[in-house]
């Protein structure tokens, strides 16, 4: 999956309508982006008690509304979506998109969401065990005709995922930045790694850890696309909006946000590429700023 840099629009589904999400996805495609992805949350991330559209439904809608971009999820939560459900959705979305789907899996983290729906949020160590099993199940279901896996959390018995995805190897991503377990899972199993809201320096540090894990397991790191999710603050109002909608579940700082316009913006984006990112995803929160889309599209054309 290594190669030329890719730029994406990662769309938060809070406080937005399906039509607004589709319009932004189409605008991103028309503006030269190569990727559009959605998140997977039940609640808004903002402190206000807002809502969020369903991730699987919107992943499918984006796939149906676009024609060229890769259509991803960053990332489905293994703590409340069974891997067979994730794989089945991904295979169907690949059919809808004509072979452009990519699927991300993460361990889950939101105490508020799990508590509200009565879903157990395991301690961190067990959550990583669950993630490891979930990724193995998703990969097997998508990449092989039949799957038999017996784990602590998930069991597959001669399981099929039919109809098959169009892609013979639909890319499976893992999201997260934990150095000991998450990045080890990435090195062993993932086609892509997604790191949210890290400064270029932090991203470079985490990527170096990933490379060490790859060396230890004998994996070619060039097989793993490394993506950085960055915030958008094109102007003071947009910068304030970004942080107002992030809530208290992120460690994002201004160093993980692109600001300004023109060459300043080009140079900022370049810092993540220099840090080892194969892909930079710009994160959007409603109300969506189309002016920022134009500024970023102009900047990425320099790459």
């Amino acid at each position: 999956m290594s190669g030329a840099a890719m730029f994406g629009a990662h769309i938060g589904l809070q406080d937005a309508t399906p039509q607004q999400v589709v319009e932004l996805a189409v605008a991103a495609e028309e503006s030269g982006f190569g990727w559009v992805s959605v998140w997977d949350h039940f609640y808004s991330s903002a402190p206000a008690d807002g809502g969020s559209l369903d991730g699987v439904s919107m992943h499918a809608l984006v796939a149906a509304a676009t024609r060229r971009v890769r259509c991803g999820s960053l990332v489905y939560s293994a703590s409340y979506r069974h891997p067979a459900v994730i794989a089945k959705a991904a295979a169907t979305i690949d059919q809808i998109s004509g072979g452009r789907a990519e699927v991300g899996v993460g361990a889950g983290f939101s105490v508020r969401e799990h508590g509200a729906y009565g879903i157990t949020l395991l301690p961190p160590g067990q959550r990583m065990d669950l993630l490891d099993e979930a990724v193995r199940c998703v990969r097997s279901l998508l990449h092989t005709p039949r799957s038999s896996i017996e784990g602590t959390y998930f069991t597959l018995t001669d399981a099929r995922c039919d109809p098959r995805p169009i892609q013979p190897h639909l890319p499976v991503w893992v999201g997260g930045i934990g150095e000991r377990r998450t990045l080890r899972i990435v090195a062993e199993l993932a086609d892509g790694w997604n790191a949210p809201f890290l400064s270029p320096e932090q991203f470079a540090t985490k990527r170096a850890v990933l490379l060490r894990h790859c060396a230890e397991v004998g994996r070619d790191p060039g097989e793993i696309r490394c993506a950085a999710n960055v915030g958008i603050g094109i102007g003071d109002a947009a910068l304030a909006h970004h942080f107002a909608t992030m809530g208290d579940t992120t460690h994002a700082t201004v160093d993980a946000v692109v600001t300004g316009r023109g060459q300043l913006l080009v140079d900022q984006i370049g810092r993540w590429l220099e840090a080892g990112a194969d892909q930079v995803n710009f994160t959007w929160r409603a109300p969506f700023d189309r002016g920022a889309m134009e500024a970023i599209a102009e900047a990425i054309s320099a790459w």
Side-chain angles (χ1 to χ4, degrees), residues 41 43 80 108-115 121 127 249:
H41 288 290
Y43 279 12
Y80 52 67
F109 66 88
S110 174
V111 174
R112 182 171 63 148
E113 290 176 347
H114 286 76
L121 184 64
R127 214 179 307 161
T249 59

Side-chain angles (χ1 to χ4, degrees), residues 38-40 42 54-57 59-60 71-96 101-108 114 130-143 154 156 160-165 170-175:
V38 297
W39 74 6
D40 184 32
F42 297 151
D54 172 65
V56 174
S57 303
H59 192 179
C71 301
S73 62
L74 297 174
V75 288
Y76 290 132
S77 173
S79 64
Y80 52 67
R81 294 194 191 273
H82 191 284
V85 174
I86 294 174
K88 191 69 173 179
T92 300
I93 293 168
D94 203 47
Q95 294 269 347
I96 291 170
E102 309 211 7
V103 62
V105 187
H114 286 76
L130 180 144
L131 175 62
D132 184 289
E133 287 189 17
V135 176
R136 292 179 190 278
C137 289
V138 170
R139 286 183 60 89
S140 184
L141 287 165
L142 290 174
H143 300 163
F154 305 112
L156 304 177
R160 297 179 294 117
C161 185
D162 294 328
R164 305 295 300 161
L170 192 158
V172 177
W173 291 65
V174 170

Side-chain angles (χ1 to χ4, degrees), residues 1-124:
M1 294 186 65
S2 60
M6 181 180 287
F7 300 98
H10 179 58
I11 306 175
L13 302 178
Q14 65 186 31
D15 304 324
T17 67
Q19 184 61 33
Q20 289 169 336
V21 173
V22 164
E23 289 174 354
L24 184 67
V26 171
E29 181 172 69
E30 292 175 347
S31 298
F33 290 76
W35 167 285
V36 175
S37 55
V38 297
W39 74 6
D40 184 32
H41 288 290
F42 297 151
Y43 279 12
S44 165
S45 65
D49 195 19
S52 180
L53 298 168
D54 172 65
V56 174
S57 303
M58 296 309 300
H59 192 179
L61 185 57
V62 166
T66 56
R67 295 293 177 267
R68 178 186 56 81
V69 293
R70 304 296 296 178
C71 301
S73 62
L74 297 174
V75 288
Y76 290 132
S77 173
S79 64
Y80 52 67
R81 294 194 191 273
H82 191 284
V85 174
I86 294 174
K88 191 69 173 179
T92 300
I93 293 168
D94 203 47
Q95 294 269 347
I96 291 170
S97 68
R100 293 179 290 117
E102 309 211 7
V103 62
V105 187
F109 66 88
S110 174
V111 174
R112 182 171 63 148
E113 290 176 347
H114 286 76
Y117 287 93
I119 301 170
T120 300
L121 184 64
L122 295 170

Side-chain angles (χ1 to χ4, degrees), residues 96-287:
I96 291 170
S97 68
R100 293 179 290 117
E102 309 211 7
V103 62
V105 187
F109 66 88
S110 174
V111 174
R112 182 171 63 148
E113 290 176 347
H114 286 76
Y117 287 93
I119 301 170
T120 300
L121 184 64
L122 295 170
Q126 292 175 257
R127 214 179 307 161
M128 291 300 103
D129 294 338
L130 180 144
L131 175 62
D132 184 289
E133 287 189 17
V135 176
R136 292 179 190 278
C137 289
V138 170
R139 286 183 60 89
S140 184
L141 287 165
L142 290 174
H143 300 163
T144 61
R146 294 178 182 271
S147 300
S148 292
I149 295 175
E150 185 171 350
T152 301
Y153 301 98
F154 305 112
T155 298
L156 304 177
T157 305
D158 198 28
R160 297 179 294 117
C161 185
D162 294 328
R164 305 295 300 161
I166 292 175
Q167 299 174 87
H169 189 96
L170 192 158
V172 177
W173 291 65
V174 170
I177 58 174
E179 295 187 3
R180 189 175 68 87
R181 293 295 308 281
T182 305
L183 293 179
R184 184 74 172 200
I185 293 169
V186 173
E188 292 179 351
L189 301 172
D191 302 300
W193 165 55
N194 178 244
F197 307 116
L198 298 180
S199 70
E201 294 76 17
Q202 291 170 323
F203 185 89
T205 298
K206 298 293 183 180
R207 184 173 177 275
V209 174
L210 173 59
L211 295 182
R212 289 200 296 272
H213 283 301
C214 286
E216 290 171 2
V217 302
R219 179 84 184 276
D220 178 2
E223 297 175 352
I224 305 170
R225 179 168 286 273
C226 298
N229 279 15
V230 304
I232 304 168
I234 311 299
D236 292 343
L239 188 62
H241 173 66
H242 170 78
F243 285 103
T245 58
M246 292 305 296
D248 59 1
T249 59
T250 177
H251 49 271
T253 69
V254 71
D255 294 326
V257 179
V258 293
T259 60
R261 293 177 180 271
Q263 190 60 44
L264 174 61
L265 188 53
V266 173
D267 292 343
Q268 287 183 63
I269 294 169
R271 293 176 62 209
W272 277 278
L273 301 179
E274 292 167 1
D278 304 299
Q279 180 170 326
V280 179
N281 299 322
F282 304 94
T283 59
W284 303 86
R285 301 287 184 269

